[in-house]
Amino acid sequence: MSDATIEEAKAALRAAAHKKRAAFHPSLRSEAAAEAARHFFDSVPIANNEVVAGYWPIRDEMDVKSVIARLMDAGQPVCLPVVLGDEQPLELRLWQDGAPLYEAGFGTLAPPEEAPRAAPDVILMPLLGFDKHGTRLGYGGGYYDRTLASLQKRPRLIGFAFALQEVDHIPREAHDVPLDAIVTETGVRNFEKAPAS
């Protein structure tokens, strides 16, 4: 499959995924987010010193604010992403206890510019879709792809989504890093690592 064909297929999948997620009733979304948070804490091991990169949800993304709050309450180092520019990786800033958050573009909130930068051990990722192989369908801006390519070590990638966001197949390109696990309201699914070629 050519790069152009893959991009066309992904664009069609994104359009369908946006509609499907937007149609999920808001009251069901909040219940699903609470269930997903419970599954995350029951089934995803996080060591005390691991830095967790969260995200501030926008539009109809799965809300992980309760996950972030609980991690911070437990003393876990948490950072949030900031978009610096269209072709740049995300900047990951530590959110220190009690520090205010500021508008960071795209409707997200993030720690202030002077907050320390962090290299995460775990990244909680929003997404539009995922498949049974752990392939993540993002928004097409490449922010997480560039961020992962810029990091010295590969963090564990944990997607957060509603179960209805699963699709049969998402074409995977060379730069697409698969998820290690997906957390939905129905549970946590870990993905097998593809053998090195």
Side-chain angles (χ1 to χ4, degrees), residues 27-78:
S27 67
L28 297 177
R29 273 192 215 127
S30 57
E31 287 174 28
E35 281 298 300
R38 187 176 62 75
H39 292 306
F40 174 79
F41 287 108
D42 286 349
S43 304
V44 178
I46 304 284
N48 288 338
N49 60 346
E50 286 189 307
V51 176
V52 179
Y55 64 91
W56 200 263
I58 58 173
R59 297 186 298 269
D60 44 23
E61 289 177 344
M62 169 139 335
D63 190 337
V64 295
K65 293 194 295 268
S66 69
V67 172
I68 292 169
R70 185 166 161 188
L71 288 169
M72 290 183 72
D73 287 347
Q76 198 77 39
V78 170

Side-chain angles (χ1 to χ4, degrees), residues 97-116:
D97 196 28
L101 295 177
Y102 296 91
E103 289 286 332
F106 298 96
T108 65
L109 297 178
E113 196 171 334
E114 61 273 15

Side-chain angles (χ1 to χ4, degrees), residues 18-173:
H18 268 297
K19 283 183 187 169
K20 196 172 191 181
R21 192 176 69 186
F24 194 41
H25 195 276
S27 67
L28 297 177
R29 273 192 215 127
S30 57
E31 287 174 28
E35 281 298 300
R38 187 176 62 75
H39 292 306
F40 174 79
F41 287 108
D42 286 349
S43 304
V44 178
I46 304 284
N48 288 338
N49 60 346
E50 286 189 307
V51 176
V52 179
Y55 64 91
W56 200 263
I58 58 173
R59 297 186 298 269
D60 44 23
E61 289 177 344
M62 169 139 335
D63 190 337
V64 295
K65 293 194 295 268
S66 69
V67 172
I68 292 169
R70 185 166 161 188
L71 288 169
M72 290 183 72
D73 287 347
Q76 198 77 39
V78 170
C79 56
L80 292 172
V82 179
V83 175
L84 298 177
D86 285 348
E87 296 303 317
Q88 295 184 52
L90 298 166
E91 185 170 84
L92 299 166
R93 297 178 187 170
L94 276 175
W95 187 12
Q96 293 163 311
D97 196 28
L101 295 177
Y102 296 91
E103 289 286 332
F106 298 96
T108 65
L109 297 178
E113 196 171 334
E114 61 273 15
R117 289 5 178 208
D121 299 290
V122 178
I123 299 181
L124 311 182
M125 303 179 87
L127 49 86
L128 277 171
F130 65 94
D131 68 15
K132 65 183 177 184
H133 303 291
T135 307
R136 171 186 174 269
L137 181 67
Y139 296 97
Y143 292 106
Y144 279 101
D145 295 328
R146 286 189 294 279
T147 304
L148 293 173
S150 74
L151 296 173
Q152 302 234 334
K153 62 177 180 180
R154 184 198 184 285
R156 284 185 292 148
L157 306 180
I158 314 294
F160 269 80
F162 304 109
L164 60 77
Q165 291 177 256
E166 183 169 5
V167 297
D168 289 337
H169 174 72
I170 300 168
R172 190 184 293 177
E173 296 173 270

